[in-house]
């Protein structure tokens, strides 16, 4: 019985790790192709608004605005070479491995 419990715990842990890795593997790259609002599909390549798990890029020369709080339900990683303007906050859940990278010349404006 004791061995069965250890296998179950290990299996559960491995399934959890697999699901966590699978979430990011299935992430899409979302690139802003014109200045506009985060929630406007025309701002994004392929017309798809970024969602949880996506890798987001805001290139130089492009400004993306977001009204309210931007959090990691909106992306997995965020790279800003242009400008990101958020009216309230950018928050990260401490349990998620999200990243925000501001490249040289990039601007993040909060408030």
């Amino acid at each position: 019985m004791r061995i069965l419990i250890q296998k179950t715990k290990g299996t559960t842990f491995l399934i959890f790790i697999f699901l966590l890795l699978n979430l990011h593997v299935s992430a899409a790259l979302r690139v802003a192709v014109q200045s506009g609002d985060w929630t406007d599909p025309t701002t994004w390549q392929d017309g798809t608004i970024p969602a949880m798990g996506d890798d987001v890029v805001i290139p130089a020369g492009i400004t993306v605005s977001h009204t309210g709080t931007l959090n990691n339900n909106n992306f997995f990683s965020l790279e800003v070479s242009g400008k990101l303007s958020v009216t309230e906050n950018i928050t990260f859940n401490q349990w998620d491995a999200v990243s925000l990278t501001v490249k040289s010349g990039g601007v993040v404006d909060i408030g």
Side-chain angles (χ1 to χ4, degrees):
M1 184 76 164
R2 186 174 179 187
I3 294 172
L4 181 58
I5 292 171
Q6 288 176 345
K7 280 187 174 182
T8 302
K9 286 181 181 179
T11 301
T12 302
F13 178 74
L14 289 175
I15 291 171
F16 174 75
I17 294 298
F18 173 76
L19 291 174
L20 184 63
L21 291 174
N22 192 33
L23 173 69
H24 188 65
V25 168
S26 63
L29 177 63
R30 304 290 176 213
V31 179
V33 292
Q34 67 180 23
S35 294
D37 191 83
W38 184 284
T39 60
D40 182 353
T42 63
T43 302
W44 305 102
Q45 183 178 356
D46 300 327
T48 304
I49 299 166
M52 186 184 327
D54 288 345
D55 296 314
V56 178
V57 175
I58 301 174
I62 292 180
T63 298
V64 175
S65 303
H66 182 72
T67 302
T69 296
L70 189 64
N71 60 48
N72 56 314
N73 290 327
N74 304 105
F75 60 88
F76 183 82
S77 70
L78 176 59
E79 179 182 298
V80 181
S81 296
K83 181 177 180 181
L84 173 63
S85 180
V86 179
T87 60
E88 291 183 19
N89 301 303
I90 298 177
T91 60
F92 299 97
N93 179 333
Q94 65 182 0
W95 299 108
D96 291 332
V98 297
S99 69
L100 169 63
T101 304
V102 181
K103 299 279 189 155
S104 178
V107 175
V108 175
D109 181 26
I110 302 171

